[in-house]
Amino acid sequence: MSNVEGVMAVIRATRPNFRNAHDKLALAVHSMFLNSGYFLTATGSKAFCVTTLTSPPSDDEVGIEGWNQTEASYGFVYSKSSSKDGVKFRVLVKCLVMGDFLVVNSMSSKYPNKEPLSLQINVNDYNQGGDGERATNFANHFKNFDELVKKLHTEILSKLEDTPYETTESSSSSSSCSSSSSSSTPSFAQYLDDAWIRGRNNAISSRSSTPHPDVGILSNSDYILYNRRSR
């Protein structure tokens, strides 16, 4: 169970330089996972590699360097051992920028054929200001922080750990980050590829200021293109 003080303590320990409001909320998401016993195995561009989740869970914990290096997206991959049977599983979290919204999507390797969990957050509801400034008191950069932590825990973390979500069939083939990957890929990778295609077809042509239900599953390059078209 995430708690407000613990999540803020992780943010303070990270000592980040926030570029904007989306950075703040993305790091709050990350801090919630660390505070809940997960450890980070990939971030930045490496987190968007399909094979990151289909390969065996890693015991190697990585630092936060590069977490906000991309223009319109944040990626995190976590590992944790199940409290019931001790089996390790991975969680992929994508935080993607859509105007004033941060769209948080997450998937767990425990449920390889399930729909991603998705949460759309208006950054103005939780940003206190001071964007681009060197933080001296990180709590002052947020407002309604307790509400934010509760929302993230209820809509993302608790569902990943306790509640299976709707099943979606997937039949598309998968791509990977390496040209040497096997032509036969696990169903989890197949689902990811299918979700990206579905999101691209449904969302790129939309110019609405409200995120499309599938928009959080777009690839990084598609999101950059979408944001530019929508301005």
Side-chain angles (χ1 to χ4, degrees):
M1 172 68 179
S2 298
N3 61 78
V4 176
E5 294 79 9
V7 175
M8 181 54 67
V10 175
I11 293 176
R12 289 192 173 106
T14 305
R15 303 196 64 78
N17 288 320
F18 293 128
R19 302 171 303 175
N20 49 49
H22 296 89
D23 273 11
K24 298 174 187 179
L25 266 67
L27 193 65
V29 172
H30 165 68
S31 299
M32 178 193 67
F33 275 92
L34 290 192
N35 185 60
S36 299
Y38 291 78
F39 65 88
L40 186 67
T41 61
T43 189
S45 58
K46 292 182 179 179
F48 289 93
C49 177
V50 171
T51 55
T52 299
L53 276 174
T54 59
S55 58
S58 172
D59 289 324
D60 297 330
E61 188 170 4
V62 302
I64 197 66
E65 294 80 8
W67 70 279
N68 62 349
Q69 65 184 7
T70 56
E71 181 179 340
S73 61
Y74 311 83
F76 306 95
V77 179
Y78 303 97
S79 181
K80 188 178 183 180
S81 296
S82 172
S83 59
K84 295 181 179 179
D85 52 22
V87 175
K88 288 185 178 180
F89 62 94
R90 286 186 175 183
V91 169
L92 168 64
V93 178
K94 288 185 179 181
C95 304
L96 299 146
V97 176
M98 286 298 300
D100 289 339
F101 289 86
L102 187 72
V103 183
V104 182
N105 281 272
S106 58
M107 300 180 73
S108 172
S109 60
K110 290 195 298 183
Y111 308 114
N113 296 313
K114 306 296 183 179
E115 282 281 2
L117 294 170
S118 185
L119 177 64
Q120 299 172 4
I121 306 173
N122 190 326
V123 298
N124 297 318
D125 292 339
Y126 304 103
N127 179 33
Q128 186 69 25
D131 302 340
E133 299 177 0
R134 178 66 183 178
T136 55
N137 187 330
F138 293 101
N140 290 343
H141 281 254
F142 296 89
K143 62 181 179 182
N144 305 321
F145 191 68
D146 54 345
E147 176 187 318
L148 173 63
V149 172
K150 181 179 179 180
K151 180 188 292 288
L152 292 173
H153 185 273
T154 301
E155 299 298 329
I156 297 294
L157 189 61
S158 64
K159 292 181 180 180
L160 278 173
E161 295 186 338
D162 300 323
T163 309
Y165 23 100
E166 295 298 323
T167 302
T168 295
E169 297 295 329
S170 171
S171 59
S172 67
S173 61
S174 171
S175 61
S176 73
C177 296
S178 171
S179 59
S180 62
S181 297
S182 170
S183 59
S184 177
T185 54
S187 58
F188 192 60
Q190 293 174 358
Y191 178 75
L192 279 174
D193 191 58
D194 180 63
W196 284 337
I197 293 172
R198 187 175 71 252
R200 180 177 62 243
N201 291 341
N202 288 334
I204 280 187
S205 61
S206 171
R207 302 177 66 91
S208 170
S209 59
T210 302
H212 186 280
D214 281 336
V215 80
I217 324 170
L218 286 173
S219 68
N220 182 35
S221 59
D222 287 339
Y223 257 88
I224 294 173
L225 176 61
Y226 181 92
N227 280 324
R228 287 173 178 169
R229 287 182 177 179
S230 300
R231 290 172 182 168

